[in-house]
Amino acid sequence: MDAARQRAERAFQRYRGLIPDWPAFLDCMTRPLPATVWANPLRTSRDAVASLLAEAGYRSQPLAWDPLALRLPADFAAGSHWGLLAGLYQSQEEVSRLPVHLLDPQPGERVLDLCAAPGNKTAQMAVAMANTGTVAANDVQRGRLTAVRQVVKRLGLVNVSTLVRPGQEFPLRAGAFDRVLVDAPCSCEGTWRKGAWRREDPPREVDSAEREWLAARQLDLLRRALQICSPGGRIVYSTCTFAPEENEAVVDALLREAGASVALRPARVPGFPGAPGITDWQGRRYDVRLEGALRAWPHAADSGGFFVAVLEKLDGRALARVGPGPVPPSHPVLERIQARFDLPADAFAGLVCHGGEGRYLNLLAADHRWPRWPAPETTGLPAVGLQVKPPKPTTALAMALGDRARCNRVELGAAAAEAFRQRRPLSGETIAGGQITGPGHVLVAHRGYTLGVGRWTAEGMLESQFPKAWKRNLPV
Ligand SMILES: C[S@@+](CC[C@H](N)C(=O)[O-])C[C@H]1O[C@@H](n2cnc3c(N)ncnc32)[C@H](O)[C@@H]1O
């Protein structure tokens, strides 16, 4: 038996009795995890992403159960293709898409992502809601929210506010939410295929004290989710671990406490080979309804491991419903941007402005209802930098609205687009198409997709204003 298989056998021995087809499970845990990406429907389609990746030599397979997602070989590095920085797709493991699929957030709703960073599920819910309504993305670690904001900018999301609070104390004054996701911190055993199996020394084992601590924190998070959810609303609890102590036991404890005020709904996804939840573990019995929870065993779908339970709050305290904030529908700089790029009259329809006095003017979905208190860290999409003259459209705005520009948008070939992303100046001859009316900001596109903003100089040069921080993230 090879070393990787032995490591997996040691690490997961405690689950042997739970796992259907133990040898197949061990085989799977010694193979690298296939990559998964999903097309950003605000900007493109799954077929278009598949074609762009195929041209670059990456063969993908559409996922049967998920109309946006594509599976790629394990060695596909999502950042190795320019489409990632252009916001055409997002990388997210297949099973990590199950919780939001089951949360089923709808346009216009108010949804809380209690443990949001790095923001994969935040983004998934924001696009499922067609970039309307409210996604409150909260995480206890301020530093980790940077990743959430990066996703917001790259994908062009106008319905996300970010907050930093311990989820178990998330203020009830934030008002009622229609749906709440608790994608809880956990012992992460289901992510083993991301690389742990390859390491000589497998990750430190989780001891029983740590499991107890995690389970207590998970239950506290779930309790707060139940309190803040509207009666009739849905709560999804998920982890990426196999441990019943962090999965069924946590939901079982909540069901006992909440009695008739909460129901467990079946977590089934047509086309995905999920297994039922566990009702019996190490001599402890859990509520039989937990069979309705979903376990993703890695060898069933050649994926990572996940657990998802879907709860419905039947009755209980209803918190105040929060209305849209007092924000102006427009700002004079938007008119200038509209004129410079000859954007259609409805380019900013359904959006309002926020923060016009600070560094950035942000754009928000008009029906966004962020919490009055706690004040969010950020709200909406940073659209215009106000501290430079003339005010500068951000890369995020360029990517979100640029395809509708009818002038001052230039198309670049592959080499020039790469130079633009590397912030190198370009001469006029490198521009493959588009019309420029005079010096000033221009939108820069490749293959019809807007990549960012440049400045056309009086001397006929195109200066790249691609963000320095994004350049650092480029593949070498
Ligand atoms: C499994 S990760 C979430 C992944 C994220 N939902 C996604 O799909 O990208 C768990 C997150 O919970 C956060 N966290 C840990 N304890 C927390 C708490 N008490 N309240 C809120 N967030 C917490 C961690 O910082 C971590 O970012």
Side-chain angles (χ1 to χ4, degrees), residues 114-121 139-141 144 166-168 183-185 217:
L114 202 56
C115 308
N120 287 314
K121 296 181 190 72
D139 203 277
V140 74
Q141 289 193 52
R144 280 174 63 83
Q168 67 277 15
D183 189 37
R217 173 53 43 84

Side-chain angles (χ1 to χ4, degrees), residues 13-14 48 117 127 143 165 180 234 264 277 313 320 333 384 418 462:
Q13 192 57 237
R14 71 193 296 263
V127 303
R165 291 276 150 165
V180 184
R234 185 177 293 189
L264 191 76
K313 177 165 166 175
V333 301
V384 189
E418 182 57 25
L462 179 62

